[in-house]
Amino acid sequence: MIFVTGDTHGDFQRFGMKAFPEQKSLCRSDHTIICGDFGGVWDNSPQENYWLDWLDDKPWTTLWVDGNHENYDTLKALPVEEWHGGKVQRIRPNTIHLMRGQLYEIEGYTFFTMGGAQSHDIEAGILDPAAPDFKERYHALRLKNARFRVLGRSWWPEELPSDVEYKEAFAALERANWEVDYVITHCAPTSIALSMDRHNEADRLTDFLEMVRRRLKFHYWLFGHYHRNMDIGEKFILLYQQIVQAI
């Protein structure tokens, strides 16, 4: 079986027995997929390692795509290997990062993944800790309860795909003849993103996903990012804390 959920931000309590009783019948050949903002690979703290070990001890295999809230410096340092036809990074033996622009065959179904998203909760900007006035600006913005991020601490430019990743994604879709069973992303295609009643706007990634939406044949597209649970049309499923069975 394959279950899918939305952003976890390093909080995996939804996978406890009370909230997710289905796990009683699961084994390593079953999978859960997190649609971005995994947030479990951040600072290598004892608390972080406790929860990663806790999650990895669960009976299934955990898969996840990245979102805009990840520590990309840490991710870049991890080795890359091949798993079920696509590139992955293994965080723990049974906890696996599905990389951008990849195709995987899992339980006889094909999955296309494209993580990443643009952060929109940064109206006050991105501070550079190397700037001489960093501390003053940081404390001033904190006093105002302004929404901002810090380069290399809470925001990374790698939140959006690189040219190489777009090229790899396009090549993967070409190999699949533009037909897959499932699409797993963090953000949504532009037409869906703009329909959300939040501070969303089009960007290069949402426009790329919009092109994919129009051209690709698929059964379901599951994504997170917008902190809601809802069906959008017949094929798009937005997830936050809900866990749904896809297969």
Side-chain angles (χ1 to χ4, degrees):
M1 292 184 284
I2 297 179
F3 293 86
V4 188
T5 189
D7 313 20
T8 49
H9 295 281
D11 181 358
F12 307 119
Q13 295 183 69
R14 76 186 66 173
F15 298 117
M17 186 67 72
K18 184 176 181 180
F20 186 38
E22 293 88 347
Q23 65 187 274
K24 294 177 182 178
S25 61
L26 301 185
C27 63
R28 289 296 177 204
S29 61
D30 299 307
H31 301 80
T32 63
I33 302 176
I34 298 168
C35 294
D37 282 359
F38 176 72
V41 183
W42 200 269
D43 57 8
N44 199 33
S45 66
Q47 181 181 14
E48 176 177 285
N49 282 296
Y50 168 84
W51 282 108
L52 284 175
D53 291 340
W54 179 89
L55 180 63
D56 204 61
D57 283 341
K58 289 295 181 178
W60 62 82
T61 299
T62 298
L63 311 175
W64 58 280
V65 299
D66 49 84
N68 54 305
H69 295 299
E70 316 286 358
N71 185 328
Y72 283 100
D73 288 337
T74 302
L75 283 179
K76 282 187 293 186
L78 296 174
V80 176
E81 61 183 89
E82 186 171 310
W83 180 87
H84 287 245
K87 295 179 181 178
V88 300
Q89 293 171 303
R90 198 176 291 270
I91 310 306
R92 288 290 192 276
N94 307 298
T95 306
I96 300 171
H97 173 214
L98 304 179
M99 300 181 73
R100 296 172 179 173
Q102 302 298 305
L103 284 173
Y104 306 94
E105 185 172 332
I106 308 172
E107 297 300 315
Y109 295 88
T110 52
F111 288 77
F112 171 72
T113 59
M114 194 67 179
Q118 180 168 283
S119 296
H120 298 302
D121 52 349
I122 50 175
E123 295 90 344
I126 299 163
L127 303 186
D128 185 347
D133 61 345
F134 169 73
K135 289 184 178 179
E136 291 80 1
R137 293 185 63 196
Y138 179 88
H139 291 300
L141 291 173
R142 286 291 300 272
L143 286 173
K144 295 177 181 178
N145 291 320
R147 302 204 300 178
F148 68 98
R149 299 285 177 82
V150 178
L151 177 65
R153 297 182 186 177
S154 57
W155 182 88
W156 287 261
E158 292 87 351
E159 68 176 21
L160 287 174
S162 65
D163 290 344
V164 171
E165 288 169 326
Y166 283 116
K167 184 177 180 180
E168 194 161 359
F170 193 86
L173 292 169
E174 286 282 295
R175 291 196 308 273
N177 294 316
W178 292 87
E179 185 171 358
V180 300
D181 295 307
Y182 291 88
V183 179
I184 306 291
T185 62
H186 184 52
C187 65
T190 296
S191 59
I192 294 176
L194 295 182
S195 71
M196 303 291 175
D197 54 350
R198 294 184 61 183
H199 42 274
N200 300 310
E201 57 187 34
D203 56 57
R204 185 183 180 188
L205 178 54
T206 66
D207 285 347
F208 174 80
L209 296 177
E210 182 67 24
M211 179 275 295
V212 173
R213 181 189 75 83
R214 295 175 182 274
R215 186 170 177 182
L216 184 67
K217 293 181 180 179
F218 60 93
H219 294 303
Y220 290 103
W221 186 315
L222 301 102
F223 61 102
H225 189 46
Y226 306 97
H227 289 199
R228 231 179 299 172
N229 301 296
M230 61 186 297
D231 294 341
I232 302 173
E234 296 181 353
K235 292 190 172 185
F236 288 86
I237 301 173
L238 166 58
L239 294 169
Y240 183 28
Q241 295 180 327
Q242 184 179 6
I243 302 174
V244 300
Q245 184 175 350
I247 297 171

